[in-house]
Amino acid sequence: MKLLLKRSGLMLLLIVLVAVGCKSETTPKYNPNEFTLMVAASNDGEVGPCG
Amino acid sequence: MFKYPYIAEAQRVHLKEVAQAIIAAYNVMECQVMNVGTNDLAAGLDFILEMKNTANFPFISANTKDASTDKFLFEPYTIVKTHDQTLGFVGVTKGDKRVQEFAFSDPIEAAQKAIDEIKDKVDLVFLMANADDKLETALIAKVKGIDFLIRSKSGSLQRIPKQQDGTTIIRIGKQGKYAGVLKIRNVDDVSQMKNVSSQYTRIKFTDNRLKAMSKGLEEGMTLEEHFAKDENRLKLITRLRDERKTNIDLIKKLKNSYYLEPIALNEKIEDTPEVALIVKDYMPKEKEKTKKDKVKRH
């Protein structure tokens, strides 16, 4: 996963989420019962989440 | 999308362009859901509906209404599927009289109603709350069935999330200073969610050490083979591998667990080119202002 946005001067008041399956670092399979969310909350001007 | 629940008329055009940039950036990032906060309504009804139509992801709010019709404006929840989990996201906001085109129903009742609708269809319920401390406390005390409460409007980042009455509270701060990576393992619906941050931190540490030692390693060769004549290194490798395994086993032994990794969105974070382009296109005035400020300072 890579962060997509840094300080940008953007303005927002929200939460954004990206839900992705969680892949094992050593195998390309998804780990059962695991997942990763990216969450962000912002209200005056910087950033958001990742994917 | 806005700093306050109102917009100065002189800034209206510019701030709306900024909001459009935010949604365009979130589209690139493939966001899955946005809880509409009260300040997001600052530019009025037509604008938020325009943004909702522009977005490739759902805007949710279980308690935001059109004041003129008293009808709810957004879906109260959305359901996201991972490879083997079904996740329910419900959104509520505190509301504010200054966003006059909108009305807000009771967020506690609205959250409970939405959760009751989805609880049998999902593995976990996430309540996204644009709430102050008082509302957060009330939501936790009165709404049943929240697995994770993800809060915006929180004053500061809480690195070790609080758990109360079966709910884990994620406060990721404000002003976009942090993004939170929330890793969740959910095996059953009866075991308590345990925070395994310290185990993940140690796994990360051991991985980094092993990775550092692997630099320059010939292809196909193991670390043990490479350091065969270095007893101290071999001992260290064994210790690191053992520690990694111990922590992984511990996490696996716990049925339900989570780990929150806050990531500071500072200058060290590299911009993704597609998003940087969107920001550049929409922020010419900001750039000019910064340049002028720099000239003034010199």
Side-chain angles (χ1 to χ4, degrees):
Chain A
M1 256 175 285
K2 184 181 177 189
L3 287 166
L4 289 166
L5 184 62
K6 62 176 182 180
R7 290 175 65 96
S8 62
L10 300 180
M11 299 191 183
L12 55 158
L13 173 61
L14 43 76
I15 290 182
V16 179
L17 281 141
V18 176
V20 293
C22 186
K23 282 184 182 173
S24 157
E25 305 239 333
T26 49
T27 62
K29 285 190 218 161
Y30 287 111
N31 292 333
N33 307 311
E34 291 181 19
F35 59 93
T36 303
L37 300 176
M38 303 296 301
V39 301
S42 176
N43 68 355
D44 76 346
E46 282 122 281
V47 258
C50 346
Chain B
M1 291 175 275
F2 305 103
K3 189 173 181 177
Y4 304 110
Y6 52 84
I7 295 178
E9 208 46 50
Q11 290 183 299
R12 180 168 287 270
V13 172
H14 172 61
L15 292 182
K16 282 166 86 170
E17 284 177 356
V18 172
Q20 285 163 341
I22 291 167
I23 300 302
Y26 286 164
N27 280 340
V28 171
M29 293 180 216
E30 298 180 0
C31 283
Q32 302 284 301
V33 54
M34 184 181 106
N35 176 39
V36 181
T38 304
N39 290 6
D40 294 324
L41 307 170
L45 180 61
D46 291 344
F47 186 73
I48 192 68
L49 293 179
E50 184 191 322
M51 291 299 93
K52 179 188 161 192
N53 291 334
T54 310
N56 297 337
F57 49 88
F59 281 21
I60 59 167
S61 177
N63 73 319
T64 302
K65 290 177 169 184
D66 176 343
S68 65
T69 63
D70 203 38
K71 285 188 176 162
F72 289 105
L73 284 163
F74 308 101
E75 291 298 325
Y77 60 82
T78 194
I79 291 176
V80 174
K81 291 197 172 188
T82 73
H83 57 292
D84 64 356
Q85 297 268 314
T86 306
L87 314 174
F89 294 90
V90 173
V92 288
T93 189
K94 185 171 181 286
D96 191 299
K97 285 178 183 165
R98 287 172 288 186
V99 286
Q100 292 172 359
E101 288 177 281
F102 304 90
F104 302 91
S105 68
D106 179 59
I108 294 165
E109 281 176 24
Q112 190 64 68
K113 185 169 179 271
I115 290 170
D116 289 345
E117 274 180 46
I118 61 167
K119 67 183 178 191
D120 295 332
K121 302 176 198 163
V122 300
D123 296 304
L124 287 170
V125 170
F126 295 81
L127 178 63
M128 301 163 78
N130 178 229
D132 56 17
D133 291 346
K134 193 178 165 191
L135 178 56
E136 178 196 292
T137 305
L139 286 165
I140 295 294
K142 294 177 182 169
V143 180
K144 305 295 169 210
I146 313 168
D147 293 298
F148 286 85
L149 185 144
I150 300 174
R151 209 190 120 179
S152 59
K153 228 176 180 174
S154 60
S156 58
L157 165 75
Q158 202 162 35
R159 287 183 182 274
I160 301 170
K162 197 170 105 179
Q163 284 181 290
Q164 196 181 321
D165 300 334
T167 300
T168 304
I169 305 161
I170 305 293
R171 292 177 180 166
I172 203 66
K174 60 179 183 178
Q175 300 172 348
K177 289 177 181 171
Y178 291 89
V181 177
L182 183 59
K183 288 180 191 290
I184 298 173
R185 178 174 147 85
N186 182 48
V187 175
D188 66 31
D189 56 4
V190 287
S191 307
Q192 201 190 340
M193 267 294 159
K194 296 271 188 190
N195 185 351
V196 289
S197 297
S198 58
Q199 284 75 24
Y200 267 109
T201 305
R202 290 307 299 177
I203 291 168
K204 214 171 165 183
F205 171 77
T206 54
D207 282 350
N208 287 342
R209 290 293 304 272
L210 291 167
K211 196 177 166 189
M213 281 194 275
S214 302
K215 273 183 188 166
L217 201 68
E218 282 173 42
E219 210 180 314
M221 189 177 255
T222 65
L223 274 174
E224 284 80 353
E225 286 164 353
H226 184 75
F227 291 108
K229 291 174 186 168
D230 187 336
E231 201 179 323
N232 286 339
R233 284 293 178 111
L234 285 174
K235 274 185 191 164
L236 177 62
I237 292 162
T238 305
R239 191 171 58 77
L240 290 170
R241 289 203 200 284
D242 286 349
E243 186 179 347
R244 189 180 196 284
K245 189 176 177 308
T246 305
N247 282 304
I248 285 175
D249 289 347
L250 199 83
I251 291 170
K252 284 191 176 162
K253 217 181 271 179
L254 294 169
K255 289 191 172 160
N256 298 342
S257 63
Y258 73 94
Y259 161 43
L260 176 69
E261 182 184 10
I263 297 175
L265 296 172
N266 54 28
E267 298 301 322
K268 289 177 188 167
I269 303 294
E270 193 185 331
D271 281 325
T272 293
E274 301 96 298
V275 176
L277 270 179
I278 293 169
V279 174
K280 193 180 164 198
D281 281 350
Y282 279 86
M283 306 298 286
K285 288 172 191 168
E286 284 292 319
K287 286 185 82 175
E288 279 170 25
K289 189 174 167 284
T290 310
K291 275 183 194 168
K292 279 177 193 169
D293 287 348
K294 277 184 183 168
V295 171
K296 272 183 195 171
R297 281 202 293 271
H298 289 292

